Amino acid sequence: MATALHNLSDYEFDKIPDASNMCFGIVVAEWNPEITGALLNGCMSTLEKHGALPENIHVKTVPGSFELIYGAHQMTLNGGYDAIIILGSVIKGETPHFDYICQGVTYGIARLNAKSEIPVIYGLLTTLDMQQALDRCGGKYGNKGDECAIDAIKMAKF
Ligand code: RBF
């Protein structure tokens, strides 16, 4: 999993810690729902493959990616989670909005990671078009949701 060109769903199964005693919070954005829904499916099924119980995976939705920061922050305050995952998809349009949202979410999640005791995993796809997003939520580059699940388990163990 450590190169820029890797498939997002590739990892060595046996090297991942058991997640059966872990609790995860997932915040998912409603914008581009065909993308974020596929990210969520990948993420949940990978967490469960490693032992996480469905009742220990709590999913909350927010309207758009910008609200992922608030959603993740609320989950860190809740305190019951071993790791939190944010899932969103921002697709470049004709205005500079893309840059502002991507920067805002990235900075907000980085800040949460520096300040809170619970790791927050960054599952934001920032792509130039829809095809690039499809390629990364179960297409030719795998599923970013799978990668986030694995990273959440590793960071929960950290
Ligand atoms: N939210 C996303 O999750 N993905 C997007 O691609 C996206 N594009 C947006 C483009 C524009 C012009 C605007 C105004 C909002 C967009 N949003 C997008 C919504 C944004 O993350 C947020 O929900 C709203 O700005 C309300 O705070």
mmCIF file of all heavy atoms in Angstrom, residues 29 31-32 63-67 89-91 95 97 101, ligand 1:
data_model
loop_
_atom_site.group_PDB
_atom_site.id
_atom_site.type_symbol
_atom_site.label_atom_id
_atom_site.label_comp_id
_atom_site.label_asym_id
_atom_site.label_seq_id
_atom_site.Cartn_x
_atom_site.Cartn_y
_atom_site.Cartn_z
ATOM 1 N N ALA A 29 -20.472 11.904 3.121
ATOM 2 C CA ALA A 29 -21.135 13.050 2.497
ATOM 3 C C ALA A 29 -22.146 12.592 1.445
ATOM 4 O O ALA A 29 -21.935 11.599 0.746
ATOM 5 C CB ALA A 29 -20.081 13.958 1.849
ATOM 6 N N TRP A 31 -23.171 14.421 -1.214
ATOM 7 C CA TRP A 31 -22.868 14.869 -2.595
ATOM 8 C C TRP A 31 -22.241 13.707 -3.356
ATOM 9 O O TRP A 31 -21.433 12.946 -2.794
ATOM 10 C CB TRP A 31 -21.877 16.040 -2.571
ATOM 11 C CG TRP A 31 -22.531 17.393 -2.686
ATOM 12 C CD1 TRP A 31 -23.291 18.004 -1.740
ATOM 13 C CD2 TRP A 31 -22.448 18.291 -3.802
ATOM 14 N NE1 TRP A 31 -23.703 19.231 -2.193
ATOM 15 C CE2 TRP A 31 -23.198 19.439 -3.456
ATOM 16 C CE3 TRP A 31 -21.822 18.250 -5.044
ATOM 17 C CZ2 TRP A 31 -23.342 20.529 -4.307
ATOM 18 C CZ3 TRP A 31 -21.959 19.336 -5.899
ATOM 19 C CH2 TRP A 31 -22.723 20.455 -5.532
ATOM 20 N N ASN A 32 -22.524 13.598 -4.636
ATOM 21 C CA ASN A 32 -22.012 12.513 -5.492
ATOM 22 C C ASN A 32 -22.291 11.152 -4.852
ATOM 23 O O ASN A 32 -21.373 10.363 -4.584
ATOM 24 C CB ASN A 32 -20.510 12.696 -5.755
ATOM 25 C CG ASN A 32 -20.213 14.042 -6.388
ATOM 26 O OD1 ASN A 32 -20.906 14.460 -7.309
ATOM 27 N ND2 ASN A 32 -19.222 14.740 -5.873
ATOM 28 N N PRO A 63 -24.496 16.707 4.612
ATOM 29 C CA PRO A 63 -24.902 17.109 3.257
ATOM 30 C C PRO A 63 -23.761 17.085 2.238
ATOM 31 O O PRO A 63 -23.901 16.530 1.156
ATOM 32 C CB PRO A 63 -25.439 18.532 3.467
ATOM 33 C CG PRO A 63 -25.765 18.643 4.914
ATOM 34 C CD PRO A 63 -24.842 17.707 5.641
ATOM 35 N N GLY A 64 -22.643 17.715 2.575
ATOM 36 C CA GLY A 64 -21.537 17.762 1.618
ATOM 37 C C GLY A 64 -20.211 17.560 2.323
ATOM 38 O O GLY A 64 -20.139 17.465 3.561
ATOM 39 N N SER A 65 -19.156 17.521 1.521
ATOM 40 C CA SER A 65 -17.838 17.214 2.094
ATOM 41 C C SER A 65 -17.388 18.256 3.111
ATOM 42 O O SER A 65 -16.668 17.922 4.060
ATOM 43 C CB SER A 65 -16.803 17.099 0.971
ATOM 44 O OG SER A 65 -17.067 15.922 0.234
ATOM 45 N N PHE A 66 -17.794 19.490 2.918
ATOM 46 C CA PHE A 66 -17.359 20.521 3.868
ATOM 47 C C PHE A 66 -17.848 20.205 5.276
ATOM 48 O O PHE A 66 -17.177 20.523 6.274
ATOM 49 C CB PHE A 66 -17.839 21.908 3.410
ATOM 50 C CG PHE A 66 -17.101 23.019 4.095
ATOM 51 C CD1 PHE A 66 -15.784 23.310 3.750
ATOM 52 C CD2 PHE A 66 -17.698 23.759 5.106
ATOM 53 C CE1 PHE A 66 -15.079 24.311 4.403
ATOM 54 C CE2 PHE A 66 -17.002 24.765 5.763
ATOM 55 C CZ PHE A 66 -15.693 25.047 5.412
ATOM 56 N N GLU A 67 -19.010 19.557 5.375
ATOM 57 C CA GLU A 67 -19.591 19.235 6.688
ATOM 58 C C GLU A 67 -18.937 18.000 7.328
ATOM 59 O O GLU A 67 -19.241 17.655 8.475
ATOM 60 C CB GLU A 67 -21.100 19.004 6.561
ATOM 61 C CG GLU A 67 -21.912 20.277 6.363
ATOM 62 C CD GLU A 67 -21.760 20.896 4.989
ATOM 63 O OE1 GLU A 67 -21.812 20.168 3.987
ATOM 64 O OE2 GLU A 67 -21.557 22.130 4.929
ATOM 65 N N SER A 89 -16.577 12.903 -1.808
ATOM 66 C CA SER A 89 -16.089 12.982 -3.182
ATOM 67 C C SER A 89 -16.301 14.405 -3.676
ATOM 68 O O SER A 89 -17.437 14.889 -3.734
ATOM 69 C CB SER A 89 -16.886 12.004 -4.058
ATOM 70 O OG SER A 89 -16.777 12.341 -5.423
ATOM 71 N N VAL A 90 -15.212 15.077 -3.983
ATOM 72 C CA VAL A 90 -15.315 16.426 -4.553
ATOM 73 C C VAL A 90 -14.818 16.350 -5.995
ATOM 74 O O VAL A 90 -13.721 15.851 -6.262
ATOM 75 C CB VAL A 90 -14.481 17.453 -3.759
ATOM 76 C CG1 VAL A 90 -14.841 18.872 -4.201
ATOM 77 C CG2 VAL A 90 -14.706 17.306 -2.270
ATOM 78 N N ILE A 91 -15.670 16.816 -6.909
ATOM 79 C CA ILE A 91 -15.338 16.736 -8.328
ATOM 80 C C ILE A 91 -15.204 18.152 -8.882
ATOM 81 O O ILE A 91 -16.087 18.995 -8.664
ATOM 82 C CB ILE A 91 -16.410 15.929 -9.090
ATOM 83 C CG1 ILE A 91 -16.453 14.497 -8.524
ATOM 84 C CG2 ILE A 91 -16.107 15.905 -10.594
ATOM 85 C CD1 ILE A 91 -17.516 13.603 -9.112
ATOM 86 N N THR A 95 -15.889 26.472 -11.240
ATOM 87 C CA THR A 95 -15.519 27.585 -10.359
ATOM 88 C C THR A 95 -14.431 27.122 -9.387
ATOM 89 O O THR A 95 -14.184 25.920 -9.251
ATOM 90 C CB THR A 95 -16.745 28.049 -9.540
ATOM 91 O OG1 THR A 95 -17.077 27.011 -8.609
ATOM 92 C CG2 THR A 95 -17.931 28.338 -10.429
ATOM 93 N N HIS A 97 -14.546 26.735 -6.432
ATOM 94 C CA HIS A 97 -15.114 26.105 -5.236
ATOM 95 C C HIS A 97 -14.390 24.824 -4.852
ATOM 96 O O HIS A 97 -14.167 24.534 -3.688
ATOM 97 C CB HIS A 97 -16.589 25.804 -5.486
ATOM 98 C CG HIS A 97 -17.448 26.098 -4.311
ATOM 99 N ND1 HIS A 97 -17.891 27.354 -4.026
ATOM 100 C CD2 HIS A 97 -17.914 25.300 -3.322
ATOM 101 C CE1 HIS A 97 -18.604 27.318 -2.920
ATOM 102 N NE2 HIS A 97 -18.630 26.086 -2.475
ATOM 103 N N ILE A 101 -13.095 23.892 -1.114
ATOM 104 C CA ILE A 101 -13.634 22.756 -0.335
ATOM 105 C C ILE A 101 -12.512 21.766 -0.013
ATOM 106 O O ILE A 101 -12.346 21.349 1.136
ATOM 107 C CB ILE A 101 -14.784 22.046 -1.079
ATOM 108 C CG1 ILE A 101 -15.986 22.981 -1.211
ATOM 109 C CG2 ILE A 101 -15.206 20.775 -0.337
ATOM 110 C CD1 ILE A 101 -17.128 22.421 -2.039
HETATM 111 N N1 RBF B 1 -19.730 18.828 -1.794
HETATM 112 C C1 RBF B 1 -19.142 17.643 -2.112
HETATM 113 O O1 RBF B 1 -19.085 16.743 -1.254
HETATM 114 N N2 RBF B 1 -18.627 17.439 -3.369
HETATM 115 C C2 RBF B 1 -18.640 18.390 -4.345
HETATM 116 O O2 RBF B 1 -18.154 18.124 -5.447
HETATM 117 C C3 RBF B 1 -19.222 19.645 -4.023
HETATM 118 N N3 RBF B 1 -19.228 20.637 -4.948
HETATM 119 C C4 RBF B 1 -19.775 21.825 -4.624
HETATM 120 C C5 RBF B 1 -19.777 22.863 -5.564
HETATM 121 C C6 RBF B 1 -20.362 24.090 -5.273
HETATM 122 C C7 RBF B 1 -20.332 25.176 -6.304
HETATM 123 C C8 RBF B 1 -20.964 24.292 -3.990
HETATM 124 C C9 RBF B 1 -21.598 25.610 -3.622
HETATM 125 C C10 RBF B 1 -20.955 23.273 -3.044
HETATM 126 C C11 RBF B 1 -20.370 22.043 -3.340
HETATM 127 N N4 RBF B 1 -20.380 21.007 -2.406
HETATM 128 C C12 RBF B 1 -19.785 19.817 -2.721
HETATM 129 C C13 RBF B 1 -21.091 21.153 -1.102
HETATM 130 C C14 RBF B 1 -20.189 21.600 0.041
HETATM 131 O O3 RBF B 1 -19.317 20.560 0.463
HETATM 132 C C15 RBF B 1 -21.049 22.014 1.255
HETATM 133 O O4 RBF B 1 -21.940 20.956 1.560
HETATM 134 C C16 RBF B 1 -21.872 23.264 1.011
HETATM 135 O O5 RBF B 1 -21.043 24.314 0.529
HETATM 136 C C17 RBF B 1 -22.598 23.726 2.301
HETATM 137 O O6 RBF B 1 -21.649 24.015 3.326
#
